[in-house]
């Protein structure tokens, strides 16, 4: 017997070992924008007409990172306000389920913030033939020649939301034993790779192994995208955390939204990542 919960929670009869890797939220949002929206859309546009330049496509056919983040931040501020749609819809969908009802009751008894199943509660369904999500309605109406209805829309809609890691982890820490949950900060994989992998191995109950030779050789799936099965030497990896096209004002707005959730995340997991911004 298995019962499915929001944000990827699947409650089995025997608890699995769950490892969560947490990346700098803004970096993750930018990476998702590039990987799930900008790059695949640009490639498709090139195939349709290779005579036009990439710069023309970026200006006339592709929404910018700032535009999509601004639209989503507006939506999330409304949806995630205390007692607002996020909490109400989550309770409506899951509150009467036998496995979930105790989670709501326990959080209320402890005075904890309402639990949220983000995808189900905030983003909604298609608005019309040309507006795939309500958060983009103004963008589509103001710039009808640009394209937003792309593959993996569920990832593009939540560039910011999927960087708020506490939402799925609230569920996981409520439903699974803490001993079966392990979190890794992404910078630990880069700067303390051997120690981090040893901790993961120990969490999984594997025999001791010295990862030094492996981790010193390089990294898989680096920013240079040389392939999931190929090693990129450390000095050839692309790592430019500050090279994100976002204004100081929007960066502050982004961090003002996610930082309280980051603090909740660190309190929940007992681990604080280096990317937290005061």
């Amino acid at each position: 017997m298995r019962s499915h919960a929001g944000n990827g929670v699947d409650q089995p009869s025997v608890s699995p070992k769950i490892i969560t890797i947490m990346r700098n939220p803004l970096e993750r949002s930018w990476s998702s924008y590039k990987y799930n929206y900008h790059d695949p859309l640009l490639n498709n546009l090139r195939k349709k007409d290779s005579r036009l330049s990439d710069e023309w496509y970026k200006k006339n056919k592709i929404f910018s990172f700032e535009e999509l983040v601004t639209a989503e931040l507006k939506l999330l501020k409304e949806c995630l306000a205390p007692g607002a749609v996020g909490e109400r819809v989550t309770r409506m969908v899951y509150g009467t389920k036998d496995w979930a009802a105790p989670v709501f009751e326990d959080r209320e008894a402890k005075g904890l913030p309402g639990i949220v199943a983000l995808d189900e509660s905030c983003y909604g369904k298609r608005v019309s033939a040309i507006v795939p999500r309500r958060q983009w309605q103004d963008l589509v109406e103001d710039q009808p020649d640009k394209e937003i209805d792309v593959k993996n829309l569920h990832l593009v809609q939540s560039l910011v939301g999927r960087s708020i890691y506490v939402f799925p982890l609230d569920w996981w820490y409520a439903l699974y034993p803490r001993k079966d949950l392990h979190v890794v900060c992404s910078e630990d994989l880069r700067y303390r790779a051997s120690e981090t992998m040893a901790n993961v191995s120990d969490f999984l109950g594997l025999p001791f192994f010295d990862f030094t030779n492996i981790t010193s050789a390089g990294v898989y799936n680096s920013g240079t995208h040389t392939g999931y099965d190929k090693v990129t030497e450390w000095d050839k990896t692309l790592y430019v955390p500050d090279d994100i096209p976002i204004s100081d004002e929007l960066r502050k707005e982004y961090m003002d939204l996610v930082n309280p959730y980051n603090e909740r995340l660190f309190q929940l997991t007992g681990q604080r990542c280096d990317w937290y911004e005061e």
Side-chain angles (χ1 to χ4, degrees):
M1 295 289 292
R2 304 174 73 89
S3 41
H4 184 71
N7 291 278
V9 174
D10 199 24
Q11 188 182 26
S13 56
V14 177
S15 178
K17 294 285 189 180
I18 300 176
I19 299 173
T20 304
I21 300 177
M22 306 186 300
R23 184 178 184 181
N24 177 298
L26 184 56
E27 289 180 29
R28 197 221 62 84
S29 296
W30 168 239
S31 176
S32 184
Y33 168 82
K34 291 281 288 179
Y35 190 78
N36 295 300
Y37 174 69
H38 177 279
D39 291 359
L41 177 54
L42 181 58
N43 287 335
N44 287 339
L45 292 169
R46 288 168 178 159
K47 292 176 182 177
K48 292 179 181 178
D49 191 344
S50 60
R51 295 170 299 175
L52 299 172
S53 69
D54 288 357
E55 290 306 312
W56 189 91
Y57 282 130
K58 292 176 183 179
K59 180 179 179 181
N60 296 283
K61 302 295 289 184
I62 301 175
F63 288 108
S64 70
F65 180 62
E66 280 226 354
E67 288 172 323
L68 296 190
V69 167
T70 298
E72 188 181 349
L73 284 174
K74 180 180 178 181
L75 173 84
L76 291 178
K77 287 178 183 178
E78 297 173 355
C79 185
L80 298 177
V85 174
E87 293 181 12
R88 294 202 308 270
V89 171
T90 300
R91 178 177 282 277
M92 181 177 64
V93 173
Y94 294 107
T96 59
K97 297 183 182 295
D98 290 342
W99 59 266
V103 176
F104 291 94
E105 294 169 2
D106 182 64
R107 294 184 72 86
E108 287 182 354
K110 294 178 179 177
L112 296 173
I115 200 163
V116 173
L118 192 64
D119 286 341
E120 293 94 327
S121 62
C122 286
Y123 297 105
K125 304 294 184 181
R126 177 176 289 275
V127 176
S128 68
I130 62 172
V131 182
R133 295 292 183 270
R134 64 187 179 92
Q135 70 204 64
W136 300 319
Q137 183 153 355
D138 290 344
L139 286 177
V140 172
E141 291 176 354
D142 292 343
Q143 304 178 72
D145 291 332
K146 291 189 175 182
E147 299 188 22
I148 189 63
D149 202 354
V150 297
K151 186 179 180 181
N152 291 327
L153 201 62
H154 65 293
L155 300 177
V156 179
Q157 72 183 10
S158 55
L159 298 179
V160 179
R162 285 179 180 264
S163 288
I164 306 177
Y165 308 122
V166 75
F167 289 142
L169 266 68
D170 271 340
W171 289 100
W172 300 347
Y173 275 79
L175 294 172
Y176 299 113
R178 180 173 286 268
K179 66 179 180 62
D180 291 328
L181 297 162
H182 184 74
V183 296
V184 175
C185 300
S186 60
E187 67 272 13
D188 288 338
L189 284 171
R190 182 176 184 87
Y191 299 114
R192 296 169 282 276
S194 296
E195 177 184 351
T196 301
M197 289 306 302
N199 290 338
V200 169
S201 178
D202 185 60
F203 166 71
L204 294 173
L206 300 175
F208 173 78
F209 181 81
D210 187 350
F211 288 91
T212 303
N213 289 338
I214 294 175
T215 57
S216 62
V219 60
Y220 289 92
N221 188 30
S222 75
T224 48
H225 294 292
T226 53
Y228 288 104
D229 59 344
K230 298 178 181 178
V231 176
T232 301
E233 296 177 8
W234 285 107
D235 60 357
K236 296 180 181 178
T237 59
L238 180 65
Y239 186 67
V240 283
D242 295 324
D243 190 21
I244 297 175
I246 186 171
S247 67
D248 291 341
E249 293 77 13
L250 187 57
R251 179 188 289 265
K252 182 180 184 303
E253 184 180 357
Y254 180 106
M255 297 313 302
D256 283 347
L257 176 75
V258 303
N259 269 345
Y261 295 109
N262 287 339
E263 190 58 42
R264 271 177 53 185
L265 172 73
F266 300 148
Q267 293 295 323
L268 177 68
T269 64
Q271 183 163 337
R272 184 173 293 272
C273 296
D274 292 349
W275 39 253
Y276 178 74
E277 294 186 21
E278 297 291 347

